[in-house]
Amino acid sequence: MSEAVFSQLAMLVLLTGLIGWMGFIVWDLAKKSKAGKFGTLALFTVLGAGVVGFIVKTVLVEIMQI
């Protein structure tokens, strides 16, 4: 296994774990603050926008081959 393949695989696995951990943190924050359904939805929408932006950027870079 080359370093490039290992790096790509590790990034995929660890980044997925980080996104999952961030989702748990947002859920826990909503639960502890008693945000309710609308507040929880707002937290996931606003704080999840960064994750969506990162994924969109990655897809666009792959499509454009920069």
Side-chain angles (χ1 to χ4, degrees):
M1 179 183 297
S2 70
E3 188 272 333
V5 172
F6 176 76
S7 178
Q8 188 175 17
L9 184 61
M11 174 120 169
L12 179 67
V13 170
L14 295 176
L15 195 58
T16 303
L18 178 64
I19 291 170
W21 179 249
M22 287 170 47
F24 171 74
I25 290 172
V26 172
W27 175 79
D28 191 46
L29 177 67
K31 183 179 171 188
K32 286 183 179 177
S33 68
K34 299 176 185 171
K37 289 181 183 179
F38 180 74
T40 303
L41 179 66
L43 282 170
F44 272 103
T45 301
V46 172
L47 296 175
V51 173
V52 172
F54 182 78
I55 293 170
V56 168
K57 179 194 72 104
T58 303
V59 169
L60 285 176
V61 167
E62 286 298 318
I63 289 173
M64 296 174 67
Q65 295 295 324
I66 295 177

